Amino acid sequence: MTENLQTASSGSLSYQLVYSDKRKTIGLQVKHGLITVRAPSFVDKTFVERFVASKASWLRAKVSQQHNTENRLPRYRLMDGGRMLFMGKEFDIIVQTGRRRSIELGEEVFTFKLPSSYFASSEDEINCKGIPSKLTLQLEKQLDQWLKEQALKYLPERVRYWSSITNLFPQEVLIRKYKSRWGSCTSQRVVSLNSRLMLCPVEVIDYVIIHELCHLVHLNHSAKFWQLVNRHCPDMEQAKSWLKQNQREFYF
């Protein structure tokens, strides 16, 4: 497949124009406030400009919405006095000194314990809450390790549960940390799940598992794929909406 990347504009809208030999239709994408137009190689650039102009109102609204969303402070912040989710439940965060690095999960509180060397001194680079970047990075590392431990205990068992109901059995289940996706399924029937799913409510975790299991039948996102997902997860739209609204809160 041959692609040709250009910078173009239509009126006050600037965008990246990607020509492709493989495409048959024009596609629009807005990501992080940037517009990308994908078009078949045979389409005239003037036609693309007119097409973009006809979608100008929608594109401006989408760009504005993404800028507003990305500039908004996250609701959950990994810091002393912040809040975070685990299995869809909100917890307050306490960061305190301890001999060993550890995480303790209480009824309403997540307690992170770290050696005193991680805390702010007069020479540390600190943020507005008095926590140095060194500490913030360690909190993220500690949380990732803890979430993976919890995921290894919970997610494979949950996959086995849904496999028994759907009669869809993967060859292998892997737990990984992804930055931009919740799971994947390969043609070798290997299902991978993001350890940060442990931050989500159970019904959302179940949706992602069912989604990936259904890829064992349809390794695409065709209408038949979504029909199969909906058969086993009638509330999939609510789960998809929850993920869309909350993904940026999960330190991605």
Side-chain angles (χ1 to χ4, degrees), residues 95-112:
V95 182
Q96 56 186 222
T97 58
R99 290 185 178 181
R100 297 181 179 180
R101 292 186 290 270
S102 65
I103 291 179
E104 296 176 2
L105 178 61
E107 287 293 323
E108 298 180 349
V109 176
F110 251 99
T111 303
F112 289 77

Side-chain angles (χ1 to χ4, degrees), residues 162 205-215 229 232-233:
W162 281 109
I205 296 174
D206 286 346
Y207 158 70
V208 173
I209 291 173
I210 292 169
H211 181 117
E212 300 307 334
L213 290 178
C214 289
H215 277 313
V229 175
H232 298 298
C233 185

Side-chain angles (χ1 to χ4, degrees), residues 84-91 106-108 110 199-201:
M84 64 173 289
L85 289 175
F86 180 67
M87 301 290 281
K89 179 183 176 181
E90 290 190 352
F91 290 84
E107 287 293 323
E108 298 180 349
F110 251 99
L199 301 171
C200 303

Side-chain angles (χ1 to χ4, degrees), residues 166 168-169 185 191 207-220 224-233:
T166 62
L168 299 172
F169 297 90
C185 178
V191 167
Y207 158 70
V208 173
I209 291 173
I210 292 169
H211 181 117
E212 300 307 334
L213 290 178
C214 289
H215 277 313
L216 297 171
V217 180
H218 303 287
L219 205 56
N220 52 48
K224 289 184 177 180
F225 166 80
W226 288 114
Q227 288 169 8
L228 185 60
V229 175
N230 189 58
R231 183 192 310 168
H232 298 298
C233 185

Side-chain angles (χ1 to χ4, degrees), residues 119-141:
F119 289 80
S121 69
S122 58
E123 297 179 354
D124 283 324
E125 177 188 352
I126 62 175
N127 65 16
C128 62
K129 292 291 288 188
I131 300 179
S133 57
K134 176 183 176 182
L135 177 55
T136 301
L137 292 173
Q138 178 57 35
L139 291 175
E140 292 177 356
K141 182 179 179 181

Side-chain angles (χ1 to χ4, degrees), residues 43-56:
V43 173
D44 182 80
K45 189 173 181 180
T46 303
F47 181 87
V48 174
E49 290 176 359
R50 289 200 300 267
F51 179 81
V52 172
S54 71
K55 305 292 183 180

Side-chain angles (χ1 to χ4, degrees), residues 176 178 181-186 190-194 208 212 215:
R176 294 176 173 173
Y178 290 117
R181 58 180 173 177
W182 294 106
S184 66
C185 178
T186 71
V190 176
V191 167
S192 298
L193 298 170
N194 194 331
V208 173
E212 300 307 334
H215 277 313

Side-chain angles (χ1 to χ4, degrees), residues 5-36:
L5 177 63
Q6 304 177 21
T7 300
S9 64
S10 177
S12 61
L13 289 173
S14 297
Y15 54 90
Q16 292 289 333
L17 174 57
V18 183
Y19 278 115
S20 170
D21 293 336
K22 192 174 181 180
R23 288 196 69 91
K24 303 298 181 185
T25 60
I26 297 178
L28 299 175
Q29 180 188 51
V30 181
K31 190 171 185 179
H32 302 306
L34 302 175
I35 301 171
T36 301

